[in-house]
């Protein structure tokens, strides 16, 4: 960061973890050495809202930086990306950019640096930001290559203070990215190699970092896996695991990686009817079939202390059934659905949702 050329930078961060760990102060000090004046926007919440993004954009607009820096978890970086859009285009409408690839050309005023403190979304290298509209109860994946950061600093030491449950959730998110990018309906050799490599790193390191958070080598391996998975899905995009997850995250506040890990095994079973790609991933971890892969993911999910059903988050059957059509419809039109190897119907998504709510194995017979 000492080598950045510019006059002003805004650092966007979350709650207090980056300040408490000293990482924020270090970043500001390095920028000062580069002769850069710094403004800090703190307080980005989990599942950042469009309201927060607009608030941050106002501060950025008043300061006039030539660098915007997202520092911390994926929420801080995602919010910083959308603040960047509003900074460069103050009059743009949020609903407009929720449509895939509609973000206008950026870098007219500022460039972007991402410094992740969690090993999960890969947002430090992707053209994706996930933002929640609290009034509508909808989580929007904003998709555009314009949002890909100019610089990513992938430093495993920054993750050492990450709590075990966050390490587990974000690590399972990495795993989901690897699997979905590999079976996407976009064929891409780069994505394939990165997905396999990332998958292997997750299975080799996630249990260790949950158990021994100060193992910096394992931390760096997971951070690298997150980055690799981000590169993979930036080339091939994601599927219905994310479409399903976005909705329960927005409506029920279920952590993204946790819901991904619940949906992923059953989506593998659903998609395996039309793609023969899953056995390739099973072989990476010494197994053979799509069902083997699904079961190994369920075992890993349990070993890192993650829940196996949606109802374990305290959502009653009555509330679930009341909102099922709403979330299934939103999942059907989610941008990620278009890259899934199997084209789903509304009833099929509802069947997957119901199986995952109960924590049972999805069956084609249920749909029929």
């Amino acid at each position: 960061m000492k080598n950045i050329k510019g006059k002003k930078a805004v650092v966007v961060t979350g709650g207090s973890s980056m300040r408490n760990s000293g990482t924020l102060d270090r970043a500001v000090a390095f920028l000062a050495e580069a002769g850069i004046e710094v403004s800090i926007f703190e307080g980005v919440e989990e599942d950042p809202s469009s309201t927060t993004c607009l608030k941050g954009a106002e501060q950025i607009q008043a300061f006039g930086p030539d660098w915007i820096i997202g520092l911390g978890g994926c929420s801080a970086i995602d919010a910083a990306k959308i603040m960047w859009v509003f900074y460069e285009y103050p009059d743009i409408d949020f609903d407009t950019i929720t449509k895939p690839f509609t973000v206008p050309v950026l870098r007219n005023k500022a460039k972007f640096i991402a410094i992740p403190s969690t090993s999960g979304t890969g947002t430090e290298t992707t053209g994706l930001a996930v933002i929640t509209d609290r009034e509508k109860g909808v989580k929007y994946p904003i998709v555009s290559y314009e949002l890909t950061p100019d610089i990513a600093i992938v430093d495993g030491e920054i993750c050492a203070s990450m709590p075990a449950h966050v390490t587990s959730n974000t690590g399972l998110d990495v795993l989901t990215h690897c699997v979905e990018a590999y079976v996407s309906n976009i064929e891409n050799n780069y994505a394939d190699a990165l997905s396999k490599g990332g998958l292997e790193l997750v299975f080799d390191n996630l249990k260790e970092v949950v158990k021994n958070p100060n193992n910096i080598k394992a931390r760096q391996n997971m951070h690298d896996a997150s980055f690799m998975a981000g590169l993979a899905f930036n080339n091939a995009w994601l599927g219905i695991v994310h479409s399903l997850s976005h909705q329960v995250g927005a409506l029920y506040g279920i952590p993204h990686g946790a819901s991904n890990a619940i949906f992923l095994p059953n989506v593998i079973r659903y998609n395996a009817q039309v793609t023969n790609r899953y056995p390739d991933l099973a072989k990476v971890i010494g197994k053979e079939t799509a069902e083997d892969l699904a079961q190994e993911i369920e075992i890993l999910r349990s070993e890192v202390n993650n829940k196996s059903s949606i109802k374990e988050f305290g959502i009653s059957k009555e509330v679930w059934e009341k909102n099922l059509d709403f979330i299934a419809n939103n999942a059907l039109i989610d941008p990620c659905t278009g890259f899934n190897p199997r084209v789903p119907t509304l009833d099929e998504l509802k069947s997957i949702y119901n199986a995952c709510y109960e924590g049972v194995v999805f069956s084609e017979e249920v749909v029929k």
Side-chain angles (χ1 to χ4, degrees):
M1 292 186 74
K2 295 177 185 179
N3 297 313
I4 303 302
K5 306 298 182 188
K7 295 179 179 179
K8 291 183 176 182
V10 169
V11 178
V12 179
T13 191
S16 56
S17 62
M18 290 297 93
R19 184 175 287 282
N20 291 342
S21 68
T23 304
L24 178 59
D25 289 341
R26 287 173 60 211
V28 171
F30 291 145
L31 290 167
E33 284 192 50
I36 295 175
E37 184 183 353
V38 179
S39 175
I40 300 169
F41 181 90
E42 292 185 85
V44 175
E45 73 275 39
E46 290 186 22
D47 296 322
S49 66
S50 51
T51 302
T52 296
C53 294
L54 286 165
K55 181 181 175 183
E58 288 180 8
Q59 178 177 322
I60 294 170
Q61 195 74 247
F63 188 65
D66 37 23
W67 287 99
I68 295 172
I69 301 171
L71 171 64
C74 61
S75 295
I77 297 172
D78 282 4
K81 287 181 177 182
I82 304 307
M83 292 175 193
W84 182 27
V85 177
F86 287 134
Y87 170 48
E88 301 223 355
Y89 296 93
D91 297 325
I92 200 166
D93 182 64
F94 177 72
D95 287 339
T96 299
I97 62 172
T98 61
K99 300 174 181 65
F101 304 105
T102 55
V103 173
V105 175
L106 298 176
R107 296 165 181 83
N108 304 301
K109 296 180 180 179
K111 292 184 179 179
F112 195 93
I113 301 174
I115 310 173
S117 66
T118 57
S119 307
T121 69
T123 188
E124 66 274 10
T125 186
T126 70
L128 181 68
V130 181
I131 305 297
T132 301
D133 186 322
R134 297 268 189 267
E135 291 183 6
K136 295 180 180 178
V138 178
K139 187 179 282 192
Y140 292 102
I142 314 297
V143 180
S144 171
Y145 287 112
E146 290 296 321
L147 298 175
T148 307
D150 298 282
I151 296 171
I153 298 174
V154 185
D155 182 351
E157 289 189 24
I158 296 175
C159 305
S161 60
M162 193 170 25
H165 72 282
V166 177
T167 300
S168 173
N169 288 341
T170 55
L172 292 167
D173 193 20
V174 175
L175 176 61
T176 306
H177 295 158
C178 293
V179 175
E180 291 215 283
Y182 191 80
V183 302
S184 158
N185 57 26
I186 295 177
E187 293 185 19
N188 187 281
N189 288 328
Y190 305 105
D192 289 354
L194 290 159
S195 294
K196 286 181 174 178
L199 181 89
E200 185 174 22
L201 284 171
V202 171
F203 271 92
D204 287 349
N205 292 277
L206 182 55
K207 284 185 287 185
E208 172 62 19
V209 292
V210 170
K211 183 179 178 182
N212 298 308
N214 293 317
N215 182 336
I216 299 302
K217 179 174 174 55
R219 284 284 190 196
Q220 188 64 54
N221 285 340
M222 282 303 302
H223 225 30
D224 289 344
S226 176
F227 188 80
M228 291 162 66
L231 285 169
F233 84 72
N234 217 29
N235 283 285
W237 299 105
L238 300 165
I240 60 170
V241 174
H242 276 74
S243 303
L244 297 166
S245 253
H246 290 151
Q247 315 319 317
V248 297
L251 197 60
Y252 301 119
I254 298 174
H256 180 65
S259 58
N260 275 352
I262 293 169
F263 294 129
L264 180 58
N266 275 337
V267 169
I268 289 172
R269 295 175 177 118
Y270 170 78
N271 282 337
Q273 305 299 314
V274 301
T275 179
N276 59 3
R277 300 276 282 168
Y278 291 115
D280 294 348
L281 297 177
K283 289 179 174 65
V284 172
I285 55 172
K287 301 297 177 178
E288 293 294 328
T289 67
E291 181 58 29
D292 289 342
L293 178 65
Q295 291 183 20
E296 287 301 309
I297 290 167
E298 290 170 338
I299 291 168
L300 178 62
R301 183 181 67 196
S302 174
E303 288 175 332
V304 296
N305 307 313
N306 258 61
K307 293 178 171 63
S308 60
S309 70
I310 298 297
K311 69 180 179 182
E312 290 177 59
F313 288 92
I315 301 160
S316 70
K317 186 78 168 177
E318 181 183 7
V319 169
W320 177 256
E321 290 179 348
K322 174 187 172 186
N323 293 319
L324 182 58
D325 284 340
F326 174 72
I327 60 174
N329 270 299
N330 284 340
L332 190 65
I333 62 174
D334 187 288
C336 293
T337 300
F339 303 102
N340 197 68
R342 182 174 176 180
V343 179
T345 66
L346 183 64
D347 284 342
E348 287 168 347
L349 291 179
K350 288 168 68 173
S351 293
I352 297 169
Y353 262 140
N354 282 330
C356 293
Y357 173 80
E358 297 291 348
V360 299
V361 171
F362 169 79
S363 167
E364 291 287 325
E365 295 304 316
V366 175
V367 180
K368 293 172 185 175

